[in-house]
Amino acid sequence: MVKIPDHINELKSYKPGKPIPEIKAELGLEKVSVLWNNENNFGPSPKAMEMMRAAIENSHVYPDPTSKELRTAIATNEGIDVEQVVVGSGSEAILSNVFQAFFNEGDELLTSEGTFVAIYIWAKSHNVPVVKLPLTSDYRFDVEAIKASITNKTKAIYISNPNNPTGSIITKSEFESLMKAVPKEVIVIMDEAYYEFAAENQDYPSSVSYGYPNVITLRTFSKVYGIAAIRIGYAMGEPRLIEALSKVRLTFEPSNLGQAAGIGALSDLDFLKKVLDNNRTELKACGELFDRLGITYIKSFANFVTLDLGSPERVNIYSDELMKMGVFVRPLIAFGLPHCLRITIGTADEMNHFRAVFEEVHSSVFV
């Protein structure tokens, strides 16, 4: 019998939930608001779609293995050199490449509890030990604790900023303080999947703008640009680090459609503004509702908001009752926060639906 390594045997396979049409049929739902995956419910960027339609005509030809046009567009947008950019099939794919390119036996990853679950999965799949520190009492990365926990085994530090699933950020001063304490041989992975939603805040650090030689910044087109199914993301950093990442990625990754979609999306400033304006408005309206109802929530800098409902039992009641009324939200047990519930910001119509249903559930269950 073929022996499968223990660290692979111990991984749990991804188990998707029921398809939405099946849930609708079971519950007899006509109207649903799907607010559980942090997707962009406005749909794809129109300019991304336009570029993909043109690119599909050449689907018989292998895509550019260097993604030169897309990398150039990203570099121009960020004011950096093209050699500082690598692209892949989603930022999660590049995250996996980080483990392939940089970790040796005995190296450790330092991060926090209550962050993006994929970091734990990829670390486990590459047999890399993870040191996880608690979040602060207000659900933020504890920068001081991270600084104090760096050892000679620490190969990299992972920070999701804004953090999924809490929506919190580390500030400019915290990032600068962290970088002063991090040894030059330790990589700092800044996962900025929700960068566009947070960038307008003056206290938010765009990590690539600092030019630190040991920082790898991850970004994605899945969120604000609405092309999650196309699987396109990118990393930025020192050319030496980017070259190492390029060596371990798949030769023809990402696809021709992914490359075209990214190029189109970056030019779609009207779509970007529409999404960000809606997100700002709906986050504010949700905060006002939760304040009025006395619901504890975490201030969010992303396209979702997380509630602290106090117990897993309350989370289950809220999520189950909301689903019965056509609103699908995310309990956070898989993120290590079983007492929390995350709501993606959808369209104005979806958010009006959510708020009306949420208030009805709250008043009927917790009077």
Side-chain angles (χ1 to χ4, degrees), residues 72-258:
T72 300
I74 293 168
T76 301
N77 195 53
E78 292 295 327
I80 59 178
D81 295 332
V82 69
E83 291 77 15
Q84 293 178 261
V85 181
V86 65
V87 295
S89 298
S91 57
E92 189 179 344
I94 301 174
L95 189 58
S96 174
N97 291 343
V98 169
F99 288 100
Q100 289 177 273
F102 301 114
F103 281 78
N104 291 307
E105 186 175 353
D107 290 341
E108 293 179 346
L109 177 76
L110 177 59
T111 188
S112 290
E113 299 169 348
T115 191
F116 185 39
V117 293
I119 188 65
Y120 314 131
I121 295 169
W122 286 120
K124 183 74 173 176
S125 68
H126 290 90
N127 207 20
V128 172
V130 180
V131 177
K132 293 188 284 185
L133 304 175
L135 295 172
T136 63
S137 60
D138 55 350
Y139 295 100
R140 301 172 66 242
F141 275 83
D142 192 333
V143 172
E144 292 303 311
I146 291 172
K147 287 158 57 176
S149 300
I150 298 170
T151 71
N152 58 5
K153 292 184 177 182
T154 306
K155 182 68 177 191
I157 299 168
Y158 172 86
I159 293 177
S160 174
N161 200 39
N163 185 38
N164 178 23
T166 66
S168 57
I169 63 169
I170 69 166
T171 64
K172 287 180 177 178
S173 62
E174 288 173 328
F175 178 61
E176 291 162 7
S177 172
L178 173 66
M179 293 311 300
K180 286 179 182 178
V182 173
K184 289 182 173 56
E185 65 271 16
V186 174
I187 298 169
V188 177
I189 307 162
M190 296 297 294
D191 189 343
E192 297 179 355
Y194 301 91
Y195 161 79
E196 292 85 359
F197 298 101
E200 64 186 25
N201 186 278
Q202 292 185 347
D203 209 20
Y204 176 76
S206 171
S207 59
V208 70
S209 67
Y210 285 82
Y212 291 118
N214 56 334
V215 170
I216 294 174
T217 301
L218 303 178
R219 301 260 180 91
T220 183
F221 289 94
S222 295
K223 306 304 178 182
V224 75
Y225 293 111
I227 47 177
I230 303 302
R231 309 310 305 131
I232 179 76
Y234 57 103
M236 297 173 286
E238 183 189 47
R240 179 169 167 268
L241 300 182
I242 295 304
E243 183 182 7
L245 289 173
S246 297
K247 289 177 179 178
V248 299
R249 71 183 183 89
L250 298 176
T251 304
F252 294 109
E253 176 189 9
S255 70
N256 65 324
L257 296 185

Side-chain angles (χ1 to χ4, degrees), residues 9-26:
N9 264 331
E10 292 166 3
L11 278 171
K12 293 182 179 179
S13 300
Y14 177 70
K15 292 182 172 53
K18 290 181 181 179
I20 290 171
E22 187 175 332
I23 298 174
K24 288 177 67 176
E26 284 183 3

Side-chain angles (χ1 to χ4, degrees), residues 135-139 165-166 290 293-299 305-315 318 330 332 337-343 358 362 366:
L135 295 172
T136 63
S137 60
D138 55 350
Y139 295 100
T166 66
F290 301 142
L293 298 179
I295 299 289
T296 300
Y297 64 98
I298 305 166
K299 182 179 180 180
V305 59
T306 290
L307 313 183
D308 179 349
L309 297 177
S311 71
E313 292 74 24
R314 285 171 66 94
V315 166
Y318 273 99
R330 177 70 67 204
L332 297 181
L337 299 169
H339 55 292
C340 293
L341 188 70
R342 190 189 67 195
I343 302 103
F358 185 89
H362 178 77
F366 297 104

